Amino acid sequence: MPASLPTDSVGIVTPELIHFSEPLSLASGRVLPEYDLMVETYGELNADCSNAVLICHALSGHHHAAGFHSESDKYPGWWDSAIGPGKPIDTDRFFVVSLNNLGGCHGSTGPTSIDPNTGKPYGPDFPFVTVGDWVISQVRLADRLGIQRWAAVVGGSLGGMQAMQWAIDYPDRLGHALVIASSPKLTAQNIAFNEVARQAISKDPQFHDGRYYDHDALPKTGLSLARMIGHITYLSDDGMAEKFGREMRTGELSFDLNTQFQVESYLRYQGEKFSTAFDANTYLLMTKALDYFDPASEYDDDLAKALSHASCKFLVVSFTTDWRFSPERSREITDALVAANKDVSYAEIDSDHGHDAFLIDSPRYMAVFRAYMDRVANELNLGVTP
Amino acid sequence: MRADLEIIAEWISPKARVLDMGCGDGELLDVLSQQKQVDGLGLEIDHDNITRCIARGVNVIEKNLDEGLASIDDASFDNVVMTQALQVMHRPDLIVEEMLRIGKEGIVTFPNFAHWRARFYLAFRGKMPVSKFLSYSWYDTPNIHFCTFKDFEALCIERNIRIIERTVVDNEHRQRWWHKLWPNMMGEIAIYRITR
């Protein structure tokens, strides 16, 4: 944490573990007998419970979206750029709910949790979950918190998919969906990258078919490789050129396999950091949820037909150098919404940051985000930011 | 509201589905949604205008009209409006065709290059007209396809486009009796209501 709290920070926050004892039937046909969700909230829920905003996280995200957990925290939550007093998702006006999704490894029930049937961690036996399953679990969370209707459901990347799924499956329970740097389904190339990542993990000798907890092992090499591959797809060619270029750590070629270029060192560092902070089984499960997402598939492969069920309004945002979920994917969503005669606005933001741009504060992105959230607040008479 | 927008508003039915191509800051759609409860959508390329539309609750899609509108279904809008943007298009003829493919009716406004001031400017100065209203020089103007009322009407005949109504106004969007007398000489802006 900085020496003093920034005035636009939500400050020190404490997550809460919420238990759900009602069994959850999953798309796979399996049933979770009970589960916990790790949740953080920012701001105050108003008297008529109309100002709630749900934040849906992406592949490696979690409940800690804004603020700091303690004064010794070096970095704030993953979407601190957008959530806080006076920020686009203004916590002076909105009550913000952020959770770790089922199958995650940050406190919600997932592969590292104890299976009540065996008394041992689920590991690879944790059921594969889909975006639709997550949304059902989030509906139950909303019920628990007394939120009948979200002012907005907001998410980037995989989070944007959850916002879309909400709009389709529970049209009466949200006013707006903000779908940022997302896609209506993965392309073959997207799935291919995910598969390489999964292979890297499952081929690691320390993986032990997913039962590495039992062997007191961690597939660090595999998870690290998976993260390195993923990380490349989150950045852009231009962004990498600008950040690293061909800059070397030492002045001359060493003619060996040690890291020579700064970009190699950076990727290794990112991979290693991730390999001890994230659970491999969770990574596998989350990438599968991405691969499986295809809401149009239940509606004759017609996205407009799928989205015709929605009654909320939409903001769709993409970033020019995002090649993981390119602007073209966002335009597909937008076009389908226009075809379905839904209220939609779409902005394509110039950025060098590739897919990661959705997490980064940039003037035009924040202006669009803020303008839209102001509109949401105005419609609900939530008052203006002082 | 700008006088030309008032005229346009009169031609749009309540609750119509309206597409505004080059919607600017969303003023027309905002007024139409308040006064006529239309279901509006704007297409715009300017970043600041897009933000202004979003802020006032006007649905807007970032779009370069020159890239085409193939993603929008046939006859999916009641009215397609384009104010003061025809002359910046790479192919004004194709955009007019697209308007009438997407919408049942089109409303187009554009500046008249045959207005007497422009004629005199070119005739006597021998230079491309620059005025308060059309303030660009020939080399930096976004207005790459100027036409006159007569040119536009010839295009409509050629493409079997029916002109339902035409109103001619000056650059402050006022209608004057002399516009009716000799529109192609006296009128600065025309507002056309077209269909197939």
Side-chain angles (χ1 to χ4, degrees):
Chain A
M1 203 182 94
S4 65
L5 265 180
T7 52
D8 60 357
S9 169
V10 298
I12 304 284
V13 293
T14 309
E16 184 190 354
L17 193 66
I18 301 180
H19 183 72
F20 295 83
S21 48
E22 190 192 342
L24 182 65
S25 299
L26 303 168
S28 62
R30 293 184 55 189
V31 177
L32 266 183
E34 55 179 342
Y35 55 94
D36 298 319
L37 292 177
M38 188 64 99
V39 179
E40 252 171 42
T41 67
Y42 322 111
E44 300 287 331
L45 187 62
N46 62 7
D48 57 358
C49 302
S50 65
N51 69 334
V53 172
L54 177 67
I55 306 295
C56 302
H57 71 73
L59 178 59
S60 58
H62 43 69
H63 55 281
H64 184 40
F68 300 86
H69 278 162
S70 74
E71 282 169 16
S72 59
D73 255 6
K74 231 164 127 187
Y75 299 107
W78 57 270
W79 219 1
D80 200 76
S81 58
I83 305 167
K87 288 180 181 171
I89 301 174
D90 185 351
T91 49
D92 286 337
R93 294 190 284 183
F94 293 108
F95 174 64
V96 180
V97 178
S98 175
L99 76 155
N100 183 213
N101 276 326
L102 276 179
C105 55
H106 292 88
S108 292
T109 301
T112 55
S113 310
I114 301 297
D115 180 350
N117 293 323
T118 63
K120 285 175 30 176
Y122 279 102
D125 297 328
F126 191 84
F128 282 94
V129 286
T130 63
V131 170
D133 293 331
W134 284 333
V135 168
I136 295 169
S137 72
Q138 292 161 2
V139 168
R140 291 191 184 172
L141 174 63
D143 292 342
R144 183 71 63 88
L145 297 172
I147 297 159
Q148 181 51 37
R149 181 182 166 91
W150 299 101
V153 177
V154 186
S157 190
L158 178 56
M161 295 173 176
Q162 293 160 59
M164 267 184 277
Q165 193 82 54
W166 262 98
I168 296 166
D169 291 351
Y170 296 92
D172 301 334
R173 299 203 61 174
L174 69 164
H176 294 264
L178 282 74
V179 180
I180 304 171
S182 195
S183 177
K185 62 183 174 201
L186 263 58
T187 61
Q189 189 191 47
N190 292 147
I191 296 171
F193 275 114
N194 280 348
E195 177 58 9
V196 176
R198 284 191 292 265
Q199 286 291 314
I201 292 168
S202 58
K203 292 290 190 294
D204 185 326
Q206 300 297 311
F207 183 63
H208 298 285
D209 292 326
R211 301 197 187 280
Y212 42 90
Y213 322 111
D214 300 345
H215 293 78
D216 210 13
L218 276 180
K220 283 202 287 196
T221 308
L223 189 53
S224 172
L225 277 174
R227 181 60 168 182
M228 286 166 74
I229 295 157
H231 208 94
I232 296 167
T233 70
Y234 304 149
L235 303 177
S236 74
D237 195 12
D238 288 348
M240 283 176 110
E242 195 184 325
K243 194 166 180 179
F244 309 107
R246 292 178 54 83
E247 199 185 320
M248 291 201 276
R249 303 178 68 211
T250 54
E252 50 202 46
L253 301 178
S254 61
F255 297 97
D256 59 28
L257 293 175
N258 294 321
T259 55
Q260 279 240 276
F261 292 97
Q262 287 293 4
V263 65
E264 297 174 285
S265 151
Y266 171 81
L267 277 181
R268 284 194 192 189
Y269 170 75
Q270 291 295 333
E272 273 161 33
K273 194 173 74 168
F274 190 74
S275 70
T276 51
F278 208 83
D279 179 63
N281 283 321
T282 288
Y283 199 83
L284 296 173
L285 177 153
M286 295 272 176
T287 59
K288 274 290 180 190
L290 269 167
D291 291 3
Y292 287 172
F293 180 73
D294 182 8
S297 65
E298 289 170 43
Y299 299 91
D300 309 323
D301 286 322
D302 182 346
L303 186 62
K305 204 166 161 186
L307 288 165
S308 70
H309 293 262
S311 63
C312 68
K313 297 168 183 170
F314 291 81
L315 175 68
V316 180
V317 177
S318 72
F319 299 91
T320 48
T321 56
D322 184 353
W323 58 284
R324 185 181 176 91
F325 295 153
S326 71
E328 189 54 36
R329 302 280 84 74
S330 286
R331 284 197 291 266
E332 281 171 29
I333 298 168
T334 306
D335 290 344
L337 286 165
V338 171
N341 201 1
K342 301 298 166 191
D343 282 295
V344 54
S345 287
Y346 169 63
E348 199 168 302
I349 311 288
D350 286 305
S351 169
D352 278 346
H353 295 291
H355 189 57
D356 268 351
F358 87 87
L359 296 167
I360 296 168
D361 181 351
S362 70
R364 186 179 173 223
Y365 173 35
M366 288 297 135
V368 165
F369 204 161
R370 183 186 305 273
Y372 197 85
M373 290 308 295
D374 282 351
R375 170 190 176 175
V376 175
N378 291 341
E379 284 177 10
L380 294 164
N381 292 317
L382 299 180
V384 289
T385 311
Chain B
M1 181 166 65
R2 264 166 44 196
D4 59 334
L5 302 187
E6 254 170 54
I7 294 164
I8 292 168
E10 280 173 27
W11 290 347
I12 289 172
S13 313
K15 302 204 168 151
R17 192 167 186 224
V18 180
L19 181 70
D20 188 351
M21 310 208 307
C23 65
D25 65 5
E27 185 185 10
L28 175 68
L29 288 174
D30 196 7
V31 169
L32 287 175
S33 80
Q34 286 170 36
Q35 293 180 355
K36 299 212 161 177
Q37 292 77 49
V38 302
D39 174 8
L41 175 66
L43 306 179
E44 180 54 51
I45 193 167
D46 180 80
H47 293 171
D48 293 333
N49 275 336
I50 289 166
T51 307
R52 286 187 200 106
C53 288
I54 290 172
R56 73 202 300 175
V58 165
N59 297 318
V60 62
I61 290 176
E62 182 162 346
K63 183 125 192 130
N64 179 354
L65 296 173
D66 279 327
E67 287 171 2
L69 299 160
S71 59
I72 303 180
D73 292 340
D74 294 359
S76 50
F77 287 85
D78 297 308
N79 303 91
V80 180
V81 181
M82 190 158 70
T83 61
Q84 304 293 352
L86 191 67
Q87 72 278 3
V88 308
M89 294 291 115
H90 280 291
R91 285 292 301 272
D93 59 329
L94 297 182
I95 211 80
V96 170
E97 297 270 3
E98 279 293 81
M99 286 180 83
L100 295 179
R101 177 185 66 79
I102 294 165
K104 292 170 194 143
E105 266 185 39
I107 298 172
V108 191
T109 82
F110 58 88
N112 178 23
F113 212 63
H115 180 253
W116 66 268
R117 268 202 214 99
R119 294 189 196 204
F120 277 73
Y121 200 105
L122 184 59
F124 294 109
R125 291 192 173 189
K127 293 169 88 178
M128 289 301 280
V130 177
S131 65
K132 205 171 79 183
F133 176 54
L134 296 168
S135 59
Y136 296 96
S137 294
W138 63 273
Y139 47 82
D140 65 358
T141 181
N143 302 314
I144 54 174
H145 280 119
F146 272 124
C147 67
T148 72
F149 300 169
K150 274 191 178 172
D151 288 326
F152 182 75
E153 288 170 21
L155 174 70
C156 289
I157 291 166
E158 188 191 308
R159 304 290 167 95
N160 284 321
I161 293 166
R162 191 163 68 84
I163 296 170
I164 305 171
E165 263 178 273
R166 182 189 74 180
T167 299
V168 173
V169 295
D170 66 15
N171 64 21
E172 283 164 352
H173 304 104
R174 289 171 302 212
Q175 295 178 62
R176 304 290 193 184
W177 60 268
W178 53 83
H179 294 149
K180 287 193 178 134
L181 205 65
W182 193 353
N184 202 39
M185 177 67 94
M186 308 311 282
E188 282 174 277
I189 296 168
I191 311 171
Y192 283 91
R193 186 175 174 196
I194 55 176
T195 190
R196 267 253 152 73

